Amino acid sequence: MLRTELSWSHRVRGAMVLAACGDALGAPFEGREPADPAEIDDWMHRSTQLMRFTDDTACTLVLADHLTRRRGIVNEDELADELAREWTREPGRGYGQGAAQLFADIARGAAWRQAAADMFDGHGSLGNGAAMRVAPVGLLPGLALGAVAGRARRTAMVSHQHPQALDGAAAQAVATALAALSIQDTPLDADRMVAAICQHVHTAEFRAALRKLPALVARAASGADVAGEVGNGVAAVQAVPAALAAFLRHPDDVPAAIGFAIGMGGDTDTIASMTGALCGARRAEKDLPVMWGLRLEGASRVWTAASALARLGRPGAGAQPPG
Ligand code: R7I
Ligand code: MG
Ligand code: MG
């Protein structure tokens, strides 16, 4: 019993800290064409520079604190205010344009439900901002996968109401939960994991993107191949499958998975952050490279938030490990 509890808290901390590391490691390459692999390798493994985190981590910390304080229960009104307050406190973290405008409106007193619905000509944002912050939902104890997906959607609604963005949050939260239940160093069945995630997405576009992954993994596709097939952009329907592909290509090698994610180019901080969450949930904090822990801005803050989240408890019997 003690061993299980210990390893669960290690997984939660691994997921949270490696999500922050992925964000900070990917940030210098965000929005660029795929960088020179040697440049990525230098930055990841030889640099001693500070790794600054971006909005991805700032928002993940808000959600982790929200869930910890409320013992896993989501309150949309409070969450919207907390996200808007965080944006007000540090608006320079590289937020998406729509998100920045939304949080400014909420901070001025706008009602989140209407403001988020009005974005992008009334379609709602299809960006990956809800998926990028959702890992803590996948690390809550005692939830079946359907409940993980449902709770993820509720956290997404306050800012991202496009069906593909809601799918992105549900898919990334379920993937995190499955990674946290998976057994290290035993082969991860990509078909089963993708099929399990597909049960919790609603749009045909998202399901189609996810269904491309098993074949890409089976043929050991390159980052360029994955980016060509599913995309590497800021849309949730691209970035979430891309991150899952990076994880499935290297499920037991954290630096390789994060390097793969950054090597795809495009929305590198977000894809690498979501990859880091999945890797950390599976491999736990023991696989955090020491230098990343030393270089990460705010490492102790992330560590503290993750430890508090982990104290909510161990996972229940409702969810099944993926293969
Ligand atoms: O989704 P969001 O929070 O952005 C997250 C991204 C991550 O890469 C972070 O690292 C940070 O860099 O931003 O912010 P949104 O503004 O809701 O969406 C991001 C972008 O997606 C927008 O600025 C738009 O360019 C685009 N976008 C859309 N474009 C057309 N139509 C989002 N929704 C739409 C849309 O419906
Ligand atoms: Mg960012
Ligand atoms: Mg990004």
Side-chain angles (χ1 to χ4, degrees):
M1 174 66 85
L2 188 61
R3 269 186 59 155
T4 319
E5 279 174 12
L6 212 57
S7 99
W8 177 249
S9 63
H10 289 193
R11 283 179 189 259
V12 173
R13 284 200 294 267
M16 290 286 292
V17 175
L18 280 163
C21 287
D23 172 25
L25 285 165
F29 305 99
E30 188 186 23
R32 288 170 46 184
E33 286 303 300
D36 175 6
E39 190 188 341
I40 297 173
D41 201 59
D42 265 354
W43 166 242
M44 286 180 66
H45 302 299
R46 274 170 287 286
S47 173
T48 53
Q49 277 182 46
L50 182 70
M51 291 161 34
R52 287 186 191 283
F53 67 77
T54 79
D55 58 328
D56 304 51
T57 300
C59 293
T60 303
L61 288 170
V62 168
L63 185 51
D65 290 344
H66 179 87
L67 294 171
T68 299
R69 217 175 31 254
R70 301 185 51 79
R71 302 202 61 77
I73 306 298
V74 178
N75 179 302
E76 289 90 337
D77 294 339
E78 287 184 16
L79 179 60
D81 281 345
E82 288 158 10
L83 287 165
R85 257 203 310 279
E86 174 59 30
W87 174 81
T88 309
R89 201 173 68 81
E90 285 190 329
R93 289 274 177 198
Y95 285 81
Q97 274 187 6
Q101 184 61 55
L102 173 74
F103 293 145
D105 291 345
I106 294 172
R108 278 195 294 269
W112 63 265
R113 192 179 295 278
Q114 193 59 48
D118 288 345
M119 291 172 75
F120 299 101
D121 299 323
H123 299 294
S125 172
L126 50 70
N128 54 28
M132 77 186 182
R133 67 179 182 237
V134 84
V137 176
L139 301 169
L140 289 174
L143 297 185
L145 295 180
V148 171
R151 215 162 288 195
R153 288 175 186 279
R154 287 182 55 191
T155 68
M157 277 295 286
V158 305
S159 55
H160 289 72
Q161 295 189 10
H162 191 289
Q164 289 177 19
L166 295 168
D167 272 354
Q172 176 65 13
V174 167
T176 305
L178 287 169
L181 290 165
S182 72
I183 301 165
Q184 299 176 8
D185 296 317
T186 60
L188 193 60
D189 186 332
D191 285 280
R192 273 187 69 183
M193 184 158 177
V194 168
I197 297 167
C198 277
Q199 288 182 19
H200 303 283
V201 302
H202 297 166
T203 65
E205 295 86 350
F206 216 101
R207 196 167 297 122
L210 288 172
R211 285 195 173 139
K212 291 177 181 170
L213 300 185
L216 286 167
V217 175
R219 68 165 199 258
S222 67
D225 264 359
V226 174
E229 289 274 337
V230 302
N232 60 6
V234 75
V237 72
Q238 295 190 8
V240 173
L244 185 55
F247 168 66
L248 290 171
R249 284 282 282 105
H250 299 287
D252 289 300
D253 184 339
V254 172
I258 290 183
F260 188 98
I262 298 173
M264 276 189 267
D267 195 356
T268 46
D269 64 335
T270 304
I271 296 172
S273 178
M274 294 190 291
T275 302
L278 301 177
C279 288
R282 176 170 167 87
R283 299 295 310 179
E285 64 191 354
K286 66 178 169 42
D287 278 18
L288 170 72
V290 172
M291 273 307 293
W292 294 1
L294 294 171
R295 290 171 61 198
L296 178 65
E297 177 196 11
S300 67
R301 187 177 154 210
V302 180
W303 214 267
T304 304
S307 296
L309 182 68
R311 280 196 293 276
L312 290 180
R314 292 187 298 122
Q320 292 296 317

